Every structure is written in C-alpha cells, then in structure tokens.
C-alpha cells in the first residue's frame, strides 16, 4: 500500500514539473455550452517518506449565466396621474424579437406606453390577455434570451444544400416525334356504373362578397384614451358655463410676411415659418393682457388661481384620438422657438412617443380645425382650463376696405370661455388683441 502511494505521488510530481515556475494555472474548458473555469493553486510541498515532492491542489469552479435564460418583463412605472392601463399586444407567443423591439403597448387615459424587449429572444409566454388591465409592476410576458439569434443565424452547412437546391435543373432533351399512332383503348364489355345525381354531394360555395347596399355592423371596443376624452368633454359641458364669441382675422399681412421671409427663416432656424406660431405668440400676448382668461377656478377651495406664466396646449389629432401637448413659458419664446417646439411635439405625437409629462398642465388651448378645411365652429373647453381658441380655414371673401370691396384671405376665430370666471368684456377684448397682433405683428414690437 505504501509503495502504491509513493508511485502516485511520483507520477503527480512529474506532471506538475512543467509549471513549477508559475504560482497558479488557469484552465478553461466548455462543458455542454456552459463556460467552466477551474483554478489550480499550489501551496508549499509536503514531506513524505519518499524523496518525491507533492503539492496540495485546491479547485475553484465558476459558471457563467446560461444563454437561454428566461426573464419576466414587468409593466413600467406610470406617471403620478396615471394608475392603470390596458394592454394591446404587438407580438404573440413564439415570435422572435430583437432588443428594444416593441412587444406591447399599454393604453392609459392620456397616452400609450410602449414596452420593448430587454434583449433579443423569443416570446415564451404572455401573462396578461389582450385588453387586460395592468398596473405598474405587473408581470407582462416571459422572454427566452438568445433564442432569436440562434434562429436568425443559419449554419454554413445548411446554406450549402440550399444553394444546391436553388440551382436550376438542366433542360430535358427534346422528345422525338412519334412515328406511330397510339393504340385505341379497348371498350369495356359492361358499361361503367355511374353515380346517381342524388348521390353527388354539392361543394360548399364561397361566401359572396358584401354588396354595395349591405347593412352590416362592426363593433369596436373604445380604447381608454377615447373613453377619457369623452368623459372630459362631458365634464366640461356639465361644469363650465361655456359661452363663445367670434371674430374674423385678415390674413393678408401675415401671408405677405411669410412669403417674404420664409426662405431666410428656414435657412437660419432650419424650420418652416407657419401661421401657428403667430397665433400662439398672439395668444400669449393677449393672455398677459387679460389674466382672467389665463386663470382657473379651484373648485376644492373655491378660489381663483391666477398664473404668471403662459403654457399653451396645442390640440393634435392622432389615429388614437385627440392629444394636447403643452408649449411651456410661451411668453418668453419667439417665433422660431415656437415653431421648433410645435414640430418636435407633433413628431412625437405621430410616432406615439408623447409622455404624460408632455401633456400635463396647460393654461390655455388652441385648436386648429383649419388644417381639415373647417370654416366655422365652436370649440369645447379643455378642463380645468377656462378658455380655448378655435382657428379655422383661410378663405377668400369680399371685404369692405376704405369704402371699396376687396377680396381678402379671411379666417374666422372663436373663443369659448367659462362665463363663471371670464366676463364678456375680457373675452371680447382678448379676441380683439389676437386679431390685432395677427393682422399686424408690429404690435408686438410696439407693445400696444
């Protein structure tokens, strides 16, 4: 027994002689796709009855995370004013997704929140049904990481047969012309028994397409945003004592100013000069002059809140409904700043990237129905605000100018206000201020 131990010690000493100058050796190997790291640490030699030197060996093993790890993706945190939303799935179980690809959207009262995939992989399980209601932190789906990359990268061996299969076959040799007539098939002695007409089953006919005069119906569930819009509009009619006053604006000067300076404006500010910036700036000027239109009634404390700032909400129509992103501190902005902000908010609205913070607040709203060709209308107040300005289309109409009839580009404007807070004098004066600034922008420079 002692001689066998001496032999084992001697053999082990010879195996380690090649690395005697190093303090440790790192050996890395891969076992069934799992990265394994083994570390050999050598200590001081021990004395044995034989003359061989033996080292004590200590192993440390570590393993990396599995490639096909399954993760559970949860609902992102909502803003303070949003508590829940409805899930609308963009992907199904078994679909491959890339990193940051949208898997589902959560429709809330104010906006839609996109939930992207945290990594490339395959959808393993959907934990919430389509249309289900979720809150912040609710588990949404399970994702198996790395599976999508394995499916997307075919092996070179698989590509070779595919290339061979794709090669067209050689054309067949031309057939020789027949030299004799084909034989006539023999006539059967007994006639073939045919099926009776009653035994033949008719094939199912395809459903006819709907005719032009059909009276079908299609029911679609209202999304949360549309429900919230309907609720707020009805609240405005119930709460506010709404009254609308009208005026008309001659757009000749603002059109001429845009025609003269639009190229230089675009070259300097890299944004087009439109009519919206003129009305937004005119509204900020009029709101500063008439603070009651910029105020709001606090129904809880029965107080009137006057604002020293002007945050104007601009109504934007999207496929999911009407949204009102806010341009903040308009009183400190010029035409270029307003145009850049409107373009940025409009782009985010079209891409469905508006956050709740982009639509929170607002002291006044402008709705431009003229982009759809509207000639006249009465807008509804966006609560809890106290007034809203409605813009309409520009149409050429005959106008009496200094006793002469001239054709001018005219726009009707409407101001709907809460008569509980704003009197008729303030409303009419406010609308006349907007008319004066738009018809002659030099009023802003002269502070008139």
């Amino acid at each position: 027994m002692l001689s066998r131990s001496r032999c084992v010690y001697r053999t082990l000493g010879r195996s380690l002689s090649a690395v005697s100058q190093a303090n440790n050796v790192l050996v890395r190997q891969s076992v069934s796709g799992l990265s394994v790291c083994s570390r050999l640490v050598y200590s001081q030699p021990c004395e044995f009855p034989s003359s061989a030197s033996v080292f004590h060996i200590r192993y440390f093993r570590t393993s990396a995370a599995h490639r096909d790890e399954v993760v559970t993706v949860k609902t992102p945190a909502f803003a303070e004013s949003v508590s829940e939303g409805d899930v609308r799935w963009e992907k199904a179980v078994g679909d491959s997704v890339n990193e940051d690809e949208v898997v589902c959207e959560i429709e809330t009262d104010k906006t839609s929140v996109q939930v992207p995939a945290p990594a490339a992989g395959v959808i393993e399980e959907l934990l919430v049904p389509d249309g289900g209601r979720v809150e912040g932190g609710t588990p949404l789906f399970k994702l198996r990481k790395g599976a999508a990359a394995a499916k997307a990268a075919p092996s070179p061996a698989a590509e070779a047969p595919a290339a061979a299969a794709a090669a067209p076959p050689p054309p067949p040799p031309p057939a020789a012309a027949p030299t004799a007539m084909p034989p006539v098939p023999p006539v059967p002695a007994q006639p073939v028994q045919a099926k009776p007409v009653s035994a033949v089953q008719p094939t199912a006919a395809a459903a006819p397409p709907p005719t032009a005069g059909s009276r079908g119906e299609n029911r679609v569930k209202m999304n949360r945003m549309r429900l919230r819009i309907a609720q707020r509009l009805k609240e405005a009619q119930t709460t506010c004592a709404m009254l609308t006053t009208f005026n008309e604006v001659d757009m000749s000067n603002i059109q001429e100013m845009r025609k003269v300076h639009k190229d230089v404006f675009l070259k300097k500010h890299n944004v087009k000069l439109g009519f919206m910036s003129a009305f937004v700036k005119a509204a900020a000027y009029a709101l500063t002059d008439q603070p009651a239109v910029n105020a709001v009634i606090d129904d809880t404390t029965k107080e009137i809140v006057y604002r020293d700032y002007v945050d104007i909400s601009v109504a934007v129509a999207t496929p999911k409904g009407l949204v009102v992103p806010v341009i903040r501190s308009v009183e400190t902005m010029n035409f270029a700043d307003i145009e850049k902000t409107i373009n940025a908010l409009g782009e985010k609205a079209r891409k469905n990237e508006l956050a709740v913070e982009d639509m929170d607040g607002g002291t006044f709203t402008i709705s431009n129905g003229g982009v759809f060709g509207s000639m006249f209308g009465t807008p509804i107040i966006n609560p809890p605000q106290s007034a809203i300005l409605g813009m309409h289309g520009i149409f050429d109409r005959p106008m009496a100018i200094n006793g002469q009839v001239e054709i001018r580009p005219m726009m009707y404007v409407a101001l709907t206000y809460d008569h509980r807070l704003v009197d008729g004098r303030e409303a009419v004066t406010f609308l006349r201020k907007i008319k004066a600034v738009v018809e002659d922008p030099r009023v802003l420079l002269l502070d008139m």
Side-chain angles (χ1 to χ4, degrees):
M1 185 68 182
L2 182 59
S3 61
R4 182 178 300 178
S5 301
R6 290 177 180 176
C7 182
V8 172
Y9 296 152
R10 186 178 299 110
T11 303
L12 183 59
R14 292 173 182 175
S15 302
L16 299 177
S17 60
V19 291
S20 58
Q21 295 179 355
N23 291 328
N24 59 73
V25 177
L26 184 64
V27 180
R28 188 177 299 271
Q29 58 184 352
S30 179
V31 180
S32 64
L34 181 63
S35 177
V36 179
C37 174
S38 301
R39 194 175 190 88
L40 307 181
V41 181
Y42 305 100
S43 61
Q44 297 297 327
C46 299
E47 296 295 336
F48 285 88
S50 66
S51 57
S53 297
V54 179
F55 296 84
H56 292 292
I57 302 175
R58 183 176 300 171
Y59 291 89
F60 295 90
R61 303 174 66 90
T62 60
S63 61
H66 285 278
R67 178 179 177 85
D68 292 341
E69 178 187 0
V70 177
V71 296
T72 301
V73 181
K74 298 182 179 181
T75 306
F78 297 136
E80 294 182 358
S81 57
V82 178
S83 59
E84 60 185 12
D86 294 339
V87 178
R88 183 172 63 84
W89 291 105
E90 300 285 346
K91 301 293 182 180
V93 175
D95 289 350
S96 300
V97 294
N98 298 321
E99 186 176 359
D100 295 332
E101 186 176 355
V102 177
V103 178
C104 68
E105 287 188 358
I106 302 176
E107 295 180 349
T108 66
D109 297 342
K110 297 184 177 181
T111 186
S112 295
V113 180
Q114 295 181 343
V115 181
V122 173
I123 304 298
E124 187 84 1
E125 182 182 359
L126 302 182
L127 304 178
V128 179
D130 189 56
R133 182 171 299 179
V134 295
E135 299 178 352
T138 303
L140 288 174
F141 62 94
K142 292 183 179 181
L143 175 71
R144 182 175 294 278
K145 292 183 178 180
K151 291 185 178 181
S155 61
E159 294 179 357
T179 58
M181 294 296 293
V184 179
V187 179
Q190 296 180 356
V192 179
Q193 294 181 357
K195 291 183 179 181
V197 177
S198 59
V200 177
Q201 298 293 334
T203 58
T211 59
S214 62
R215 295 168 54 83
E217 293 183 353
N218 184 22
R219 292 176 177 265
V220 179
K221 182 181 179 181
M222 293 179 67
N223 57 42
R224 295 181 66 90
M225 186 181 297
R226 174 56 60 186
L227 287 171
R228 183 58 176 166
I229 291 172
Q231 179 184 358
R232 288 174 61 84
L233 292 178
K234 194 60 183 177
E235 286 177 358
Q237 286 186 327
T238 305
T239 304
C240 301
M242 289 190 292
L243 187 63
T244 306
T245 182
F246 305 92
N247 213 319
E248 54 185 2
V249 179
D250 188 348
M251 302 292 291
S252 301
N253 288 338
I254 197 70
Q255 283 187 344
E256 183 66 22
M257 183 187 76
R258 183 176 181 270
K259 180 180 179 180
V260 172
H261 300 290
K262 64 178 182 179
D263 295 333
V264 179
F265 189 89
L266 176 61
K267 183 178 181 180
K268 180 176 181 180
H269 301 290
N270 197 27
V271 64
K272 293 183 179 180
L273 177 61
F275 298 128
M276 197 66 185
S277 56
F279 278 91
V280 171
K281 189 63 180 177
Y285 180 76
L287 289 169
T288 305
D289 184 74
Q290 299 294 325
V293 184
N294 198 43
V296 65
I297 296 177
D298 189 346
D299 293 322
T300 305
T301 60
K302 306 302 180 182
E303 296 175 340
I304 300 176
V305 182
Y306 290 93
R307 282 83 167 252
D308 297 331
Y309 55 90
V310 176
D311 293 347
I312 295 182
S313 305
V314 180
V316 178
T318 66
K320 295 184 178 181
L322 190 69
V323 295
V324 279
V326 181
I327 308 174
R328 306 191 186 279
S329 302
V330 182
E331 74 279 4
T332 63
M333 304 172 70
N334 54 27
F335 279 46
D337 296 334
I338 295 173
E339 290 288 355
K340 291 178 181 178
T341 307
I342 292 176
N343 284 356
L345 293 174
E347 187 68 18
K348 292 177 68 175
R350 284 187 292 271
K351 294 181 178 180
N352 196 24
E353 296 178 352
L354 282 175
V356 178
E357 294 77 12
D358 296 325
M359 296 178 286
D360 256 352
T363 62
F364 185 76
T365 298
I366 297 179
S367 176
N368 185 8
V371 296
F372 306 109
S374 172
M375 181 179 180
F376 204 77
T378 56
I380 299 179
I381 294 175
N382 179 25
Q385 299 173 9
S386 299
I388 180 174
L389 175 68
M391 299 169 54
H392 301 92
I394 302 173
F395 301 97
D396 291 338
R397 292 193 284 114
M399 301 296 296
I401 307 298
N402 297 326
Q404 301 292 327
V405 177
E406 298 183 11
I407 304 299
R408 294 291 183 93
M410 304 298 295
M411 176 194 289
Y412 286 115
V413 290
L415 177 71
T416 300
Y417 57 97
D418 189 354
H419 212 343
R420 300 179 303 163
L421 175 61
V422 182
D423 293 333
R425 179 179 64 87
E426 286 86 357
V428 174
T429 305
F430 174 86
L431 202 54
R432 287 184 60 85
K433 279 284 184 182
I434 291 181
K435 171 183 172 67
V437 171
V438 174
E439 290 184 344
D440 188 1
R442 293 174 295 183
V443 173
L444 294 173
L445 300 176
L446 300 176
D447 194 17
M448 297 173 60

